[in-house]
């Protein structure tokens, strides 16, 4: 890999809340970044120096565009110039609550047709264990190329907390590779970008780590919402109970009631884990129960608001979800 004196050319595919911060961090490190997104509105906004993500300033975008360290486009052609390709595309759920990998498969197909020799490909999108090896790898090896020899492939889950003032570079980075050589290449690349990089044994371990992190939050958010129901029925202040429990210096982490588990990842990643469990003949009872609880919260919140409004005229304006 080249050093900052000879900037690495990196293509970041997907300029959402994961890809754009990564692209800007790489540009901060004086690498040449080609940002690809198929949404023309995003590309137009970026070219005007306008940010659509909280915590990212338009000035930062403009500075990198002006310095030529950042180029944004809807074309996949920059892959042919890149030493590193980072995939940050959405991995949503289908209507059947199954993983929807259409964006990843499309990106992998485009990369496979354009990949340079000795390039590093990194999947950053949250996904179920086995995706890097069983879905992405075959797309890249389809023309006879071999991972670990002709190119390098690894998985490194994003850990961005949207809206947080915490700098991306200080969030510990998990990396993994398909082969030992892939592990070394991805580790050497990211240790120049992030302050703390941990190498995992396999992509499956890294993929599962991200699902564990968000499933932990999902289950605890759903539990505290159920506990809030319980306190409400007993006419006890749930916030007081949580504050009291926080005084214990061990064995308790505070979660707070709300309208359910929101955001880009927390409602989705646990369902990926549950889907994978079913695929291997298991069931995830806690996640399934947490999902049921999470889906009850909007209606509960609306009913509480209607009750607090106290007048029939006002409450009639609120539709129960």
């Amino acid at each position: 890999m080249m050093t900052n004196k000879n900037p690495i050319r990196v293509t970041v595919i997907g300029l959402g809340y994961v890809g754009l911060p990564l692209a800007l961090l790489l540009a901060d490190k004086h690498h040449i970044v080609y940002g690809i997104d198929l949404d023309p509105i995003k590309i137009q906004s970026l070219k005007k120096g306008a940010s659509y993500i909280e915590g990212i300033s338009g000035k930062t975008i403009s500075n990198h565009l002006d310095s030529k360290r950042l180029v944004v486009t809807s074309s996949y052609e920059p892959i042919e110039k890149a030493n590193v390709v980072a995939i940050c595309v959405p991995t949503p759920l289908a209507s059947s609550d199954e993983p929807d990998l259409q964006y990843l498969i499309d990106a992998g197909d485009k990369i496979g047709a354009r990949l340079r020799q000795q390039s590093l490909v990194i999947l950053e999108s949250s996904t179920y264990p086995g995706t890097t090896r069983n879905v992405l790898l075959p797309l890249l090896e389809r023309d006879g190329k071999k991972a670990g020899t002709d190119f390098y492939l690894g998985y490194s889950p994003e850990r961005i907390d949207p809206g947080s003032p915490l700098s991306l570079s200080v969030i510990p980075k998990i990396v993994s590779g398909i082969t030992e050589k892939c592990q070394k290449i991805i580790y050497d690349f990211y240790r120049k970008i992030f302050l703390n990089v941990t190498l995992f044994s396999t992509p499956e371990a890294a993929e599962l780590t991200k699902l564990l992190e968000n499933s932990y939050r999902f289950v605890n958010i759903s539990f505290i919402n159920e506990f809030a129901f319980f306190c409400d029925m007993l006419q006890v202040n749930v916030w007081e109970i949580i504050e009291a429990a926080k005084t214990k210096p061990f064995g308790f982490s505070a979660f707070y009631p709300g309208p359910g588990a929101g955001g880009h990842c927390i409602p989705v990643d646990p369902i990926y884990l549950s889907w994978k469990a079913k695929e291997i003949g298991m069931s995830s009872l806690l996640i399934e129960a947490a999902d049921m609880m999470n889906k009850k919260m909007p209606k509960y919140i609306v009913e509480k608001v209607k009750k607090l409004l106290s007048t029939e005229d006002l409450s009639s304006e609120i539709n129960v979800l």
Side-chain angles (χ1 to χ4, degrees):
M1 287 290 172
M2 293 178 281
T3 67
N4 286 6
K5 293 180 181 178
N6 297 298
I8 298 171
R9 294 180 179 271
V10 185
T11 296
V12 177
I13 302 176
L15 298 175
Y17 77 98
V18 175
L20 184 57
L22 177 61
L24 295 175
L25 175 60
L26 291 165
D28 285 340
K29 301 293 183 178
H30 302 285
H31 299 303
I32 306 301
V33 183
Y34 303 97
I36 299 174
D37 201 289
L38 300 184
D39 184 346
I41 296 176
K42 286 182 181 177
I43 297 300
Q44 290 169 14
S45 296
L46 292 171
K47 286 183 175 180
K48 293 176 182 177
S51 175
Y52 44 81
I53 295 179
E54 182 182 357
I56 294 178
S57 72
K59 183 177 180 181
T60 300
I61 295 169
S62 295
N63 288 342
H64 287 314
L65 290 172
D66 292 342
S67 70
K68 308 299 183 184
R69 288 195 297 267
L70 175 65
V71 178
V72 296
T73 179
S74 294
S75 169
Y76 279 97
E77 289 182 7
I79 293 170
E80 299 171 7
K81 307 175 186 177
N83 308 103
V84 178
V85 180
I87 305 173
C88 305
V89 297
T91 47
L93 288 170
S95 57
S96 58
D97 274 358
E98 294 184 352
D100 180 357
L101 299 184
Q102 61 173 315
Y103 302 108
L104 172 58
I105 292 170
D106 181 63
D109 187 59
K110 298 293 194 304
I111 295 166
R114 295 169 173 81
L115 192 61
R116 293 179 58 180
Q117 283 285 114
Q118 306 301 303
S119 292
L120 168 63
V121 180
I122 308 166
L123 177 57
E124 295 246 347
S125 306
S126 301
T127 188
Y128 61 83
T131 302
T132 306
R133 191 181 305 276
N134 300 326
V135 178
L136 183 56
L137 178 61
L139 294 172
L140 303 181
E141 289 189 331
R142 64 182 182 183
D143 294 329
K145 301 185 187 77
K146 294 298 294 182
T149 303
D150 301 304
F151 68 94
Y152 309 103
L153 174 62
Y155 180 75
S156 179
E158 59 83 11
R159 284 172 144 182
I160 291 170
D161 187 11
S164 170
L166 194 64
S167 171
L168 178 59
S169 64
V170 305
I171 300 173
K173 191 67 171 161
I174 288 172
V175 300
S176 63
I178 288 290
T179 68
E180 287 188 12
K181 186 66 180 292
C182 293
Q183 290 177 343
K184 181 181 186 309
I185 295 294
I186 188 173
Y187 178 80
D188 287 346
F189 172 66
Y190 267 144
R191 69 176 179 158
K192 296 169 183 159
I193 310 298
F194 291 84
L195 296 178
N196 185 345
V197 180
T198 300
L199 180 61
F200 271 53
S201 59
T202 64
E204 289 80 6
E207 289 161 340
L208 266 174
T209 298
K210 179 61 188 295
L211 297 190
L212 172 61
E213 292 167 2
N214 281 340
S215 295
Y216 168 82
R217 294 176 69 183
F218 184 74
V219 169
N220 279 283
I221 289 168
S222 297
F223 168 70
I224 204 64
N225 281 331
E226 182 179 64
F227 187 73
F229 281 6
F230 183 67
C231 290
D232 193 28
M233 295 294 291
L234 293 176
Q235 297 184 328
V236 175
N237 187 328
V238 66
W239 305 96
E240 180 183 8
I241 305 304
I242 295 170
E243 290 304 308
K246 280 172 58 179
T247 62
K248 186 178 180 181
F250 56 90
F252 181 80
S253 297
F255 287 80
Y256 299 93
H264 298 275
C265 291
I266 298 176
V268 175
D269 292 357
I271 309 306
Y272 267 57
L273 183 59
S274 180
W275 174 85
K276 187 64 180 180
K278 291 175 183 176
E279 189 183 58
I280 61 175
M282 291 183 59
S283 60
S284 181
L285 300 180
L286 278 175
I287 290 176
E288 291 170 11
D291 188 39
M292 290 176 58
M293 186 68 238
N294 189 48
K295 290 174 178 175
K296 287 182 180 180
M297 287 308 297
K299 183 175 180 179
Y300 172 74
I301 294 293
V302 168
E303 293 293 347
K304 289 287 289 181
V305 171
K306 287 178 69 175
K307 185 176 180 180
L308 290 170
L309 286 173
S310 75
T311 67
E312 184 177 345
D313 288 341
L314 284 176
S315 63
S316 66
E317 298 297 321
I318 302 175
N319 295 317
V320 176
L321 298 178

